[in-house]
Amino acid sequence: MALSGSKPVLGLTTYLQQAQTGVWDVRASFLPAIYIDGVNLAGGIASLLPPQPVDAEIAARVLDGLDGLIITGGRDVDPAGYGQQPHAATDEPVADNRQRDAFEFALVDGAIRRGMPVLGICRGAQVLNVALGGTLHQHLPDVIGHTHHQQGNAVFATSAVRTVPGTRLAALIGESSDAQCYHHQAIDRLGDGLIVSAQDSDGVIEAVEIPGQNFVLAVQWHPEERLDDLRLFAAVVEAATAYATGKVNA
């Protein structure tokens, strides 16, 4: 719990998959450091949240130590979570992927219930949507006819996104922004309580949020790839600071 005047602690979810470092090739939980940089540069403290077996009580204990939650990028959500069979292009829903899904669904549910600030990034937007009962387009090229959103080989594409007037996102970043994208899936049917807060020229949903006082916002792009623009990280850190202050004063 952050005390008045201290930095808030934001939990960031992590990958869980086979990874190589030096002579080691092991199953590992990890996250690109650029996410941590975004939180630190915006004035927050980053705490990594490795996927693990979870239930509502475990999720609550994890959230007790946080002031905000960031659901990060990564592999595709298991389509079984929104009632579909996997597309040929969808990442195989192996056990580690399903464990990460379950862990993040539980954290999102618990965070929203307690009014904790939530920021979703890329996969995080999809996790938020599915956690709230929505569905995904499993392969955007089938929908829009091109692969601009994910060109492959770890090359991020720049997409112009336009915000919806009156939304929290519009207040944060203005009418439009150039976004760094790397996704072949996107939100289809909205989850309960969510509204669209940005789209691109193809009509792809690029951001969603829950209206109201509590900060629940998710973008389909990667703001951590543009740390010269910290507005989204700064916004969730500011919301986490206010949340922490409310816990102290409760």
Side-chain angles (χ1 to χ4, degrees), residues 120 122 125 140 148-149 159-162 169 179-183 185-187 196-208 217-222:
C122 196
L140 270 180
H148 174 75
H149 295 82
S159 294
V161 300
R162 182 164 293 278
L169 183 64
Q180 296 297 104
C181 292
Y182 197 86
H183 63 96
Q185 298 192 340
I187 290 171
V196 175
S197 47
Q199 292 179 285
D200 69 3
S201 59
D202 291 312
V204 174
I205 296 174
E206 289 287 351
V208 292
L217 171 65
V219 297
Q220 187 61 73
W221 66 88
H222 286 270

Side-chain angles (χ1 to χ4, degrees), residues 15 19 23 31 66 88 112 119 135 138 172-173 183 197 227 249:
Y15 292 68
V23 298
L31 186 70
L66 303 176
I112 290 175
L119 174 64
T135 65
Q138 288 194 52
L172 290 174
I173 69 171
H183 63 96
S197 47
L227 293 183
N249 296 332

Side-chain angles (χ1 to χ4, degrees), residues 145-180:
H146 62 76
T147 60
H148 174 75
H149 295 82
Q150 188 183 79
Q151 297 180 24
N153 297 318
V155 176
F156 285 84
T158 300
S159 294
V161 300
R162 182 164 293 278
T163 60
V164 176
T167 59
R168 181 188 299 274
L169 183 64
L172 290 174
I173 69 171
E175 293 182 359
S176 63
S177 180
D178 289 336
Q180 296 297 104

Side-chain angles (χ1 to χ4, degrees), residues 22-195:
V23 298
W24 306 106
D25 184 357
V26 298
R27 181 170 171 261
S29 180
F30 62 93
L31 186 70
I34 198 166
Y35 286 96
I36 302 166
D37 293 342
V39 171
N40 294 161
L41 289 169
I45 300 168
S47 180
L48 299 187
L49 307 176
Q52 55 199 289
V54 70
D55 57 25
E57 182 178 355
I58 292 171
R61 291 286 289 128
V62 171
L63 293 169
D64 284 345
L66 303 176
D67 305 310
L69 176 66
I70 298 178
I71 307 296
T72 62
R75 295 170 67 83
D76 298 333
V77 175
D78 183 356
Y82 48 97
Q84 294 183 12
Q85 293 296 314
H87 186 283
T90 297
D91 291 329
E92 183 180 356
V94 297
D96 283 347
N97 292 2
R98 292 194 296 269
Q99 182 165 291
R100 182 179 180 184
D101 290 351
F103 185 66
E104 293 182 348
F105 290 154
L107 291 178
V108 165
D109 181 69
I112 290 175
R113 287 179 184 275
R114 62 178 65 195
M116 177 180 287
V118 177
L119 174 64
I121 294 175
C122 196
R123 167 190 157 92
Q126 297 165 9
V127 167
L128 175 65
N129 192 60
V130 174
L132 294 174
T135 65
L136 305 178
H137 292 298
Q138 288 194 52
H139 195 53
L140 270 180
D142 290 350
V143 180
I144 59 177
H146 62 76
T147 60
H148 174 75
H149 295 82
Q150 188 183 79
Q151 297 180 24
N153 297 318
V155 176
F156 285 84
T158 300
S159 294
V161 300
R162 182 164 293 278
T163 60
V164 176
T167 59
R168 181 188 299 274
L169 183 64
L172 290 174
I173 69 171
E175 293 182 359
S176 63
S177 180
D178 289 336
Q180 296 297 104
C181 292
Y182 197 86
H183 63 96
H184 81 109
Q185 298 192 340
I187 290 171
D188 184 7
R189 189 185 73 241
L190 284 176
D192 295 339
L194 290 172
I195 63 168

Side-chain angles (χ1 to χ4, degrees), residues 226-247:
R226 286 285 310 275
L227 293 183
D228 58 330
D229 181 356
L230 288 171
R231 288 177 293 181
L232 290 177
F233 283 107
V236 72
V237 167
E238 180 181 5
T241 301
Y243 176 81
T245 302
K247 288 195 294 183

